[in-house]
């Protein structure tokens, strides 16, 4: 999607409610072991095995482990995404439906997760997704193959997923996030209490409150690396839609640098050369 503002509004609206129409078409896939149900019916599941996996077993936000590991180490979402492609798969429940959102923070696709079927090998499965919930033609479904083993509590903590939209159907490890994507990114990138050279306090909460000596606003961390040449906070698109706040940030020697941000062209920003504040973590 070329228009970043439009994408960001849609993306976070989807994460909150999944109430919008699909953003991208489904991709039909061929697989040597795929079923061939009659037109107008759901794909027929393979014979059930012990330990059947249901749609609700996958509910939650799944993020590629390679991206999460690098983000944890670097605390810089834009730089991380440029080196390690980001990928998030969110399965939520809306009434009796299970929308599934897949995004790389630049583009997104939204479908409905209809069924989970066992694949040929033990502990291998495939998600059956489509643009419409309910009865669909076999030619209109997307198969998302994955593998996983339940933990001692009977839940999946990690999965290996072959996403067809952004990962070229190659298997990559994913982990289930313990909290919302916003909260986890805030926690890893910037959340904490700080003081500047004058002893003034600054705070960025995990819930998204930016508290500076001269202002406060509800923030989100920019995840789309196209949006700025530096790391950036901005007013939260859903919680503070009229907000115009933007701050650049960078980590250097254990200190947090804050930069003023300028608009270089439509929907593209750049940090000024020198930080306006250098913050030391409190405590």
């Amino acid at each position: 999607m070329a228009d970043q503002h439009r994408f960001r509004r849609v993306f976070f609206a989807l994460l909150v409610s999944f109430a919008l129409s699909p953003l991208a078409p489904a991709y039909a896939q061929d697989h040597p072991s795929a079923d061939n149900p009659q037109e107008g019916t759901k794909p027929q599941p393979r014979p059930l095995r012990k330990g059947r996996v249901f749609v609700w077993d996958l509910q939650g936000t799944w993020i590629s482990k390679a991206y999460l590991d690098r983000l944890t180490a670097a605390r810089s979402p834009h730089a991380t995404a440029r080196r390690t492609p980001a990928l998030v798969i969110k399965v939520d429940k809306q009434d009796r439906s299970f929308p599934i959102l897949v995004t790389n923070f630049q583009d997104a696709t939204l479908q409905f997760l209809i069924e989970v079927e066992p694949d040929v090998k033990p502990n291998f499965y495939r998600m059956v997704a489509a643009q419409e919930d309910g009865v669909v033609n076999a030619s209109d479904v997307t198969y998302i193959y994955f593998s996983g083993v339940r933990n001692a509590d009977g839940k999946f903590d990690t999965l290996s997923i072959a996403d067809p939209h952004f990962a070229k159907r190659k298997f990559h490890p994913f982990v289930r996030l313990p909290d919302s994507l916003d909260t986890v990114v805030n926690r890893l990138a910037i959340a904490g209490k700080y003081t500047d050279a004058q002893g003034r306090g600054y705070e960025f909460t995990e819930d998204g409150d930016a508290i500076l000596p001269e202002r406060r606003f509800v923030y989100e961390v920019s995840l789309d690396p196209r949006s700025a040449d530096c790391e950036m906070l901005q007013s939260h698109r859903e919680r503070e839609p009229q907000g115009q706040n933007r701050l650049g940030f960078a980590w250097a020697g254990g200190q947090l640098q804050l930069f003023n941000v300028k608009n270089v062209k439509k929907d593209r920003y750049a940090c000024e050369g020198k930080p306006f504040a250098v913050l030391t973590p409190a405590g």
Side-chain angles (χ1 to χ4, degrees):
M1 302 180 186
D3 189 325
Q4 182 197 0
H5 280 300
R6 177 178 178 275
F7 168 71
R8 295 290 290 170
R9 288 195 298 269
V10 172
F11 171 58
F12 282 100
L14 293 175
L15 291 181
V16 173
S17 67
F18 284 89
L20 302 180
S21 59
L23 298 176
Y27 298 85
Q29 299 177 55
D30 294 324
H31 188 278
S33 61
D35 297 312
N36 186 26
Q38 296 182 357
E39 189 171 306
T41 64
K42 277 189 177 182
Q44 296 299 310
R46 300 197 171 102
L48 299 183
R49 291 193 182 119
K50 185 179 179 180
R52 166 82 184 271
V53 176
F54 295 93
V55 172
W56 48 85
D57 290 324
L58 305 181
Q59 189 172 349
T61 302
W62 299 87
I63 190 167
S64 56
K65 185 177 183 300
Y67 174 85
L68 183 64
D69 288 347
R70 188 175 291 276
L71 176 61
T72 302
R75 308 190 73 177
S76 304
H78 287 178
T80 295
R82 292 186 185 106
R83 296 186 62 183
T84 305
L87 192 58
V88 167
I89 300 174
K90 183 178 175 72
V91 178
D92 210 348
K93 188 176 188 299
Q94 180 181 327
D95 297 326
R96 296 184 179 181
S97 299
F98 285 84
I100 176 170
L101 173 73
V102 184
T103 181
N104 62 359
F105 302 143
Q106 299 180 47
D107 298 293
T109 180
L110 177 67
Q111 297 178 290
F112 290 94
L113 185 54
I114 298 172
E115 182 62 278
V116 176
E117 300 177 346
D119 201 22
V120 177
K121 298 178 181 179
N123 300 320
F124 277 75
Y125 312 87
R126 65 182 188 181
M127 306 180 213
V128 183
Q131 286 188 306
E132 301 293 335
D133 192 22
V135 177
V136 296
N137 294 327
S139 60
D140 294 331
V141 303
T142 301
Y143 293 120
I144 305 174
Y145 291 85
F146 71 96
S147 66
V149 178
R150 301 175 192 268
N151 62 23
D153 296 325
K155 300 181 181 299
F156 291 107
D157 293 322
T158 63
L159 293 175
S160 182
I161 305 175
D163 172 65
H165 306 289
F166 305 112
K168 300 180 180 180
R169 305 178 189 173
K170 294 181 179 179
F171 281 92
H172 295 281
F174 283 73
V175 296
R176 194 200 303 259
L177 293 181
D179 298 298
S180 71
L181 178 64
D182 271 359
T183 298
V184 171
V185 170
N186 294 348
R187 180 184 303 149
L188 295 178
I190 199 170
K193 295 182 178 180
Y194 308 87
T195 56
D196 64 11
Q198 290 74 44
R200 298 180 299 176
Y202 294 70
E203 183 176 3
F204 301 95
T205 71
E206 291 186 2
D207 292 333
D209 294 311
I211 306 168
L212 285 69
E214 72 283 359
R215 56 177 159 155
R216 64 183 299 165
F217 60 95
V218 181
Y219 77 91
E220 62 184 1
V221 177
S222 173
L223 298 174
D224 184 351
R226 301 171 303 180
S227 63
D229 68 350
C230 54
E231 307 302 329
M232 186 173 69
L233 306 179
Q234 57 193 7
S235 295
H236 199 287
R237 301 303 177 109
E238 300 303 319
R239 296 173 57 196
E240 199 171 84
Q242 303 304 317
Q244 299 295 320
N245 286 285
R246 288 185 179 83
L247 288 176
F249 71 94
W251 287 94
Q255 292 183 307
L256 178 63
Q257 300 176 341
L258 298 182
F259 299 83
N260 289 316
V261 173
K262 55 186 178 182
N263 187 206
V264 293
K265 61 180 180 179
K266 184 179 180 181
D267 301 331
R268 298 293 184 269
Y269 299 89
C271 287
E272 293 184 350
K274 294 183 179 180
F276 69 82
V278 177
L279 309 181
T280 301

